[in-house]
Amino acid sequence: MADEKRHTEAAPGDTSDSIRKETGVAHFFAAARYSRQGFLRLYEESAFRHELLAFAAGFGLFGLVGASFGEFMTYVVLMLLLFAVEALNTAIEELVDRVSPEISTVGRNAKDLGSFAVFCLILVNAGFVAYTVFF
């Protein structure tokens, strides 16, 4: 009876009673499932789809110019870093929209800072591609 009462008095959105922490091998599969869900959510963002296209184009370009294995690997690492920062930027935007749906200076600043982080990595990636292709 006490459990029923505690469950019904939980705050809206509080699912702590229904969330079970996975351990061992089950944790690995749960983490993979969460990562897949995150990828699918990020794929809904047009910026991420553009970055995926740029990744494929850059990879093809590297093949055409005969880039070394190290250059390919550096490119892959830089692009994965860009994807990670894009995911974090999207998470920031979703949280800001959820916590502060009205327009606010703090919310705008948080979104702008996330966008700037993505922009910086785009510049790094573009610089690396230019260096590899032209030098």
Side-chain angles (χ1 to χ4, degrees):
M1 186 75 145
D3 287 338
E4 287 179 8
K5 185 174 183 180
R6 186 181 71 219
H7 184 64
T8 58
E9 292 179 356
D14 181 10
T15 59
S16 58
D17 288 339
S18 63
I19 295 176
R20 191 178 79 229
K21 184 82 169 160
E22 301 288 351
T23 60
V25 176
H27 175 74
F28 173 79
F29 288 110
R33 186 174 62 250
Y34 302 146
S35 294
R36 180 180 178 277
Q37 291 168 348
F39 174 82
L40 293 174
R41 168 57 190 93
L42 191 58
Y43 192 76
E44 294 173 15
E45 297 291 321
S46 62
F48 179 64
R49 292 192 304 272
H50 293 148
E51 292 160 1
L52 283 174
L53 285 173
F55 175 63
F59 211 77
L61 185 61
F62 275 30
L64 286 174
V65 299
S68 70
F69 179 75
E71 290 168 332
F72 271 104
M73 290 309 297
T74 301
Y75 180 65
V76 168
V77 168
L78 286 173
M79 288 303 292
L80 287 174
L81 187 59
L82 175 62
F83 298 156
V85 171
E86 184 68 55
L88 293 171
N89 181 45
T90 300
I92 289 168
E93 290 177 354
E94 288 210 1
L95 285 171
V96 166
D97 291 344
R98 168 75 179 182
V99 172
S100 179
E102 70 282 349
I103 306 242
S104 71
T105 302
V106 173
R108 187 188 73 234
N109 288 342
K111 288 181 172 189
D112 289 349
L113 289 166
S115 180
F116 179 68
V118 171
F119 177 72
C120 287
L121 271 170
I122 289 172
L123 288 179
V124 167
N125 282 310
F128 180 72
V129 169
Y131 176 79
T132 302
V133 170
F134 297 115
F135 298 106

